[in-house]
Amino acid sequence: MTPGRRSSTFTRLLRHGFTDPSAAERLLDGPELAPVRDDPVLLEALGATADPDLALHGLVRLLEAQDGQTAHRELLDTLIAAKPLRDRLLGVLGASAALTDHLARHPSDWHALVTYEPRDLHPGVEEFERGLAEAADPVSLRVAYRRCLLSIAARDVCGTTDVAETAAELADLATATLRAALAIARAHAPGDAAACRLAVIAMGKCGGHELNYVSDVDVIFVAEAADGTTEAKALTAATRLASHLMRICSETTVEGSIWPVDANLRPEGRNGPLVRTLSSHLAYYQRWAKTWEFQALLKARPVAGDADLGQAYVDALEPLVWKAAERDNFVTDVQKMRRRVVENIPASEIERELKLGPGGLRDVEFAVQLLQLVHGRTDQSLRSGTTLDALQALAAGGYVGREDAARLDEAYRFLRSMEHRIQLYRLRRTHLVPVAEEDQRRLGRSLGLRTDPVAELIREWKRHTGVVRRLHEKLFYRPLLDAVAQLAPGEARLSPEAARERLVALGYADPAAALRHLEALASGVTRKAAIQRTLLPVLLGWFADSANPDAGLLNFRKVSDALGKTPWYLRLLRDEGAAAENLARVLSAGRLAPDLLMRAPEAVALLGDGDGGGLEPRGRAHLEQEILAAVGRAENAEQGVTAARGVRRRELFRIAAADIVGSYGTETNPAEADQGALVDRVGAAVSDLTAATLAGTLRAVVRDGWGDTLPTRFAIIGMGRFGGHELGYGSDADVVFVHEPQDGVDEHEAAAAANKVVAEMRRLLQLPSADPPLLIDADLRPEGKSGPPVRTLKSYEAYYRRWSLVWESQALLRAEPVAGDEELGRRFTELIDPLRYPAHGLEEDAVREIRRLKARMESERLPRGADPKLHTKLGPGGLSDVEWTVQLFQLRHGWDRPGLRTTRTRDALAAAREAGLLSAEEAEILDEAWVLATRVRNAVMLVRGRAGDTFPTEPRELAAVGRYLGYGAGHAGDMLDAYRRTTRRARTVVEELFYGNGG
């Protein structure tokens, strides 16, 4: 070959899409293609394939495999002369290495692509049965199956059939194959065949007439006894036939396998009998079946064996399918199914998952099937097993918006086309988009993307998954809004009854009220209503994710009514990515956060991404500065404390909202995995806020009664959870008050002033108002309720020196100055340090006294009727168990282990572990129990709006606690089991360390 010709050919090959022109040139110059080397038709046809290099290489292999020169010449002549064959054959060779291998093994099978009659364009089951008719054993069945598959693939890659028609042909070929396999099994065991009537029911994509190139073929077997045969004998025979059928299709031979036959959708799954009678099937579905099993039956279709029995199966079970939405557990099951199951997909693969990933095929299929279950009971036009047909019917009936349906149809077709072409290449079962550039290039070109195949493929794929992600939830809710807004006369829309059914299916307990709220929010032609119609489909989905969607929607209406005329409110929700989802989570998670928000709805601004401060809790210094400034502007103490309480309410909302969002997670940020971090964040934030509120209240009271200077120095000492930075939402402020007269001030005057300050602070912080009260509890002071509310430092010193009991030393472990005179607070700390960290530790009689007190508390203080194992404070392995164990370590070893000198339980526990006082495993067990019990208490307050130490009994409240703790719908029992298990382990450790010799 001359250099000039070589250069010209090289350039032409590049222009026609070859990526290895040198190798292509060698093949074109080889002996197999010598007769047609210069025919331009061949090069044009190769350039039109998905992978010209692959097509050329496959063509040479096929020519090499021809049996003799005559067959070789026939193939070449037909290839050049007949465009239909040329396009079909080269199209397959350029798209499927696996079918190229088949043609190389069976070189005459290319003749299957020559005929181009109308009946060949859209063959059905009968045509495929004729194609498989001569198969008498598993090997010949595989060869015949691949020959039929060859023709399906040829029509697909040439665009003769679209993706839906291709999927239907694949399902018809599967039907013919199952019939052929059953015939082989029956011929192998005629006695078994005579003993029973066996029907094969296709399920899944095969049943839905939408099969992939490579997929498990899901089936269910049903059998009855033949005349004169007992049922037991018939079932044994039918089971042998069914098992043989499965092996014929599934086992690997010299010709590979066809596809696995999967019977795990049968009653009881793989644990149940492979074959049942019709009455046995019916009894199972009437009594035991779960919602997903009725969902699977949507696609049930008799395909092989006894046709009358197969139809009887479908006729018997179909009424149950359309009653599934009336089942008691339907809503819970739907909520579980609606949460995408992606936990089992490796993180490295989730973004490449066409089927199960976000915006994938499963999203479309699930949404369509759910709407069918809800509305198909009254509208028989929706009862198709084929996804795209059902979607079209839903749109025609007004159950789905027409525009949404059209966009989903387009996205689904594109994603299924990708899936088909990916599987066709190697004929392997996969739903992953390939990562190699050459694979992506071939895939893009096979879909008609020729300018920049890789970039265009990625762009179109992401566009379509984005469409599905956005529409998946809106599909359920937009028609509800269309039904109530009534903006487009003449459009098909949901009837009131259909809207009610859908809301019930999605978890709304009072659908009539929900529809009223939607009508109030979305009706009309105002800009406000238009924005609400944009927001609500997504918000309603987020509400439905919660345990109480009705409350979420009601609360949203209340907030919208309060802020609807405020220009920034809807703009915030529409434009700031996080705000709308954060609001939905907060409004539907329980009572506390919405109650705090309703008292000042403008706090919605905190939920955005912008300058409102966001959900990050503010530090103590920042809070105190704001509160003291507000107090300074007030005219009197009452106004000052009102301002301080207003800041406290707003900040409580911020803390609660951040906790809810962190616990639930959002679409962009998963739930916080470190439960301890969530607990610490809430405890520190609420404690800082309480301290700042007390500081502001103290300043307001002093300024109002005495001006700038109180006659006595005054300090507030945090105790209990307050001193430990572990306050919850419903905690009182445990404190003791200490004062010291100013120089030259009479002690009685000083005491009177100090007592007045305490009384006034308590009064002002509990005044009825829109803001939650802050209760001050000073019962941990010397002599408890019988002692004076406030003492001088000298009085404390005298009391502790003479009268102090061991329980008071234990209580002082959590004492920390929180407000007032810092110097006085520091001196108080110095005074009590020798008591709480006694030199050389506790005497044994003091240890025995603490153990006796703990045992008495366990037996006497537990509320009547409470389940001890679920009581977070006093139950076994609960807060008290862990805290008393840690505090015993501090009392015994704090004098020589500086790390133990902390008011914080978790820090002290970690220090005890580092000091070798308990093992790392024991510390982890105690820490896990303490964190869980604290989380439960926080959850109860968030959900019920009032404090509680045990799990709620009302089902929705219990479910809401579960959602906060990370348990999905229907898993409240799992949550309680996990709590019992965690605290049981902790109690075992406590009994060893606290009551045994380990402390």
Side-chain angles (χ1 to χ4, degrees), residues 334-342 544-546 963 968-969:
V334 165
Q335 286 178 323
K336 283 192 285 190
M337 290 189 293
R338 282 179 64 251
R339 294 195 180 89
R340 199 185 327 282
V341 183
V342 296
D545 262 345
S546 74
R963 288 289 288 115

Side-chain angles (χ1 to χ4, degrees), residues 302-453:
V303 291
D306 191 300
D308 291 339
L309 178 57
Q311 192 57 49
Y313 173 91
V314 171
D315 292 343
L317 292 179
E318 188 177 41
L320 300 181
V321 174
W322 304 113
K323 291 179 181 177
E326 300 168 10
R327 292 159 54 89
D328 290 341
N329 60 343
F330 181 74
V331 171
T332 304
D333 289 344
V334 165
Q335 286 178 323
K336 283 192 285 190
M337 290 189 293
R338 282 179 64 251
R339 294 195 180 89
R340 199 185 327 282
V341 183
V342 296
E343 287 84 356
N344 295 326
I345 305 175
S348 60
E349 295 181 357
I350 192 166
E351 289 302 320
R352 297 194 291 126
E353 252 286 352
L354 276 175
K355 181 178 179 181
L356 300 177
L361 294 163
R362 179 60 57 83
D363 276 355
V364 182
E365 292 159 0
F366 170 77
V368 168
Q369 290 163 21
L370 174 58
L371 292 174
Q372 286 180 279
L373 287 176
V374 172
H375 300 297
R377 12 176 203 175
T378 54
D379 188 341
Q380 295 192 16
S381 71
L382 306 180
R383 298 181 180 183
S384 171
T386 307
T387 300
L388 291 177
D389 291 348
L391 180 58
Q392 186 177 6
L394 286 163
Y399 302 100
V400 172
R402 286 186 180 275
E403 184 180 342
D404 289 349
R407 294 174 69 195
L408 272 183
D409 183 284
E410 180 190 8
Y412 188 76
R413 287 174 184 273
F414 183 84
L415 297 174
R416 281 300 301 271
S417 296
M418 282 185 69
E419 183 181 44
H420 277 188
R421 301 300 165 80
I422 291 168
Q423 293 184 349
L424 180 59
Y425 177 53
R426 292 286 185 194
L427 286 182
R428 289 178 182 164
R429 183 172 182 260
T430 179
H431 310 287
L432 292 178
V433 177
V435 292
E437 184 175 339
E438 63 267 27
D439 292 331
Q440 292 182 354
R441 180 177 183 274
R442 181 180 55 255
L443 178 57
R445 284 176 59 91
S446 77
L447 296 170
L449 307 173
R450 297 299 171 95
T451 305
D452 186 353

Side-chain angles (χ1 to χ4, degrees), residues 67 104 180 242 495 501 535 564 572 619 707 776 960:
D67 186 15
S495 67
E501 288 175 341
L535 292 169
L572 171 84
I776 293 176

